[in-house]
Amino acid sequence: MARQWKVLLVTSVAVMMALLDVTIVNVALPALADAFPDSSLNDLSWVLNAYNVVFAAALIPAGRLADRWGRRRVFLAGVALFLVGSAACGLAPAVGVLIAARCVQALGAAAIMPTSLGLLLPEFPVQRRATAIALWTATGTVAGAAGPSLGGALVAWQGWRWVFLVNLAIGLPGLLAAIRVLRETRDSTPGPFPDVVGALLLGGGVGALALAVVRLPDWGATSAAFGGTLAVGAALLLALALRSRRHPAPVIEPALVRIRSFSVANLGSLVFAAAMNALLLCNVLFLTQVWRYDSLATGGALTAGPVTAAALAPLVGRLGDRFGPRAVALPGGLFFAAGALLFARAPGQPNFLADFLPAAVLIGAGAAFSFPGFGHAAFAEFPRARFATGVAIASCLRQVGAVLGIAVLITVLADGSGTPLAAFHRAYQVLAAGGLLAAGVALTLGRVHARDVAHVAPAQPVPGTQPVGAPAAGTAAPPTGVQSTAGAADG
């Protein structure tokens, strides 16, 4: 087996494990409600949102640390930490402990995501980068395919705790394989130490905004609690923006934001991630609360969309390499919107083949096209010396989208007007609008062509600091942005 495929395999297993927990926990949410009857849906939503908020806040520092200290080292540490968090989740005696353990899981996942693609992309030539990203992205869709059915089976068989403990069976063999296969890579000009305060501002700002949206039905739009929480979130994000302009190693580097294809693609990815993550949870709640499916039937029903996405991944990669990312991302948003509108017409009585399966297939096609399309656009003109950092920023914004999407969904479903079926129909209509918005962002991408870029463009120096990505004074920039060391055998 060629080395690049071995690297793809071991990194994909870790990514699959990290993303498997998203869809598995969605299916387990009704079981958690039964296990902890004193907790409301708003409270339980933080089992999802705490993971997403911490994930978002830690991704960029993890990517910067990986570029600086070594991507293999941070990747292996992330897998180990994720396994510790998974064990703690499976043993949690209360919702508060479960949420805290999910935060530990999120820290591990934040180390896995940027380093996995940062280790993978240098193994592929630039003209095959879209294919590499599509295959890497497909691991997420495979996780989505396995998550609902596996989660439903585990909940029905042994209860919700095993949706976390199953990670040990996946992660331990993957960790041993990664130690053997991966080689160490790092940025030869990493710049100053990453801005930890900026990461805290990001996490606090996103968390406050999500809390305000989730609690809106309870607090009311005119309440001091809602307005104050919203203001705190906005103030923290404003402080992050101002700090990022002056800090020598900001949480989001201005030089990277100035790459138009990277910024536009990440905006589209954020919008689509918000709609997609909200729809995944909405489907679970619809199937269990309206159609009264049990956990096993729910898991089986949710498998159709991710299987469609996984099956389309190779085709999407070839289309992206040939026609560019816009030709892939644009139809993805339209597929998603069409699927959400079909869900919005679902009746109150179950009819899977006629009323759920066609919509699920369209949603799967939307994910198969949108995520790789925006991913290809984001990295087509991105400097290879910052691959781990770039993946961290892109993943961070997707997690921000997930937090906000789930928060909006909880708010729409909490509206007491009308029947429960009408509330779900309104939610699906809102999600369809999100798909159309993502398609609109894809349209603005323009023609993006993949090219090899060695270094990040130098930023304007801050007095008394070294510009991020610039070589030290009196030294010449190295010919490549990635330095390999003997970290492991080739396998």
Side-chain angles (χ1 to χ4, degrees), residues 105-132:
Q105 271 191 314
L107 292 173
I112 291 171
M113 292 298 290
T115 51
S116 60
L117 195 55
L119 288 163
L120 177 63
L121 285 181
E123 301 286 342
F124 284 78
V126 64
Q127 63 270 21
R128 298 189 64 197
R129 192 172 293 170
T131 296

Side-chain angles (χ1 to χ4, degrees), residues 226-299:
F226 174 76
T229 306
L230 202 64
V232 168
L236 291 174
L237 293 179
L238 177 60
L240 170 64
L242 295 175
R243 182 178 178 85
S244 296
R245 294 178 59 185
R246 302 182 60 84
H247 196 277
V251 67
I252 299 178
E253 297 178 68
L256 300 180
V257 175
R258 287 195 293 268
I259 303 172
R260 183 182 181 279
S261 57
F262 183 71
S263 297
V264 175
N266 280 317
L267 174 61
S269 185
L270 183 151
V271 172
F272 190 81
M276 187 69 195
N277 281 273
L279 185 133
L280 291 174
L281 179 58
C282 191
N283 279 349
V284 170
L285 298 176
F286 175 81
L287 290 172
T288 57
Q289 295 181 7
V290 178
W291 282 9
R292 299 298 178 181
Y293 278 16
D294 61 20
S295 58
L296 193 59
T298 298

Side-chain angles (χ1 to χ4, degrees), residues 20 41 46-47 80 123 125 134 163 223 228 256 259 279 313-314 320 350-351 457 478 480 491:
L20 189 66
L41 180 60
W46 284 96
V47 176
E123 301 286 342
V163 304
S223 68
L256 300 180
I259 303 172
L279 185 133
N351 190 342
T480 180

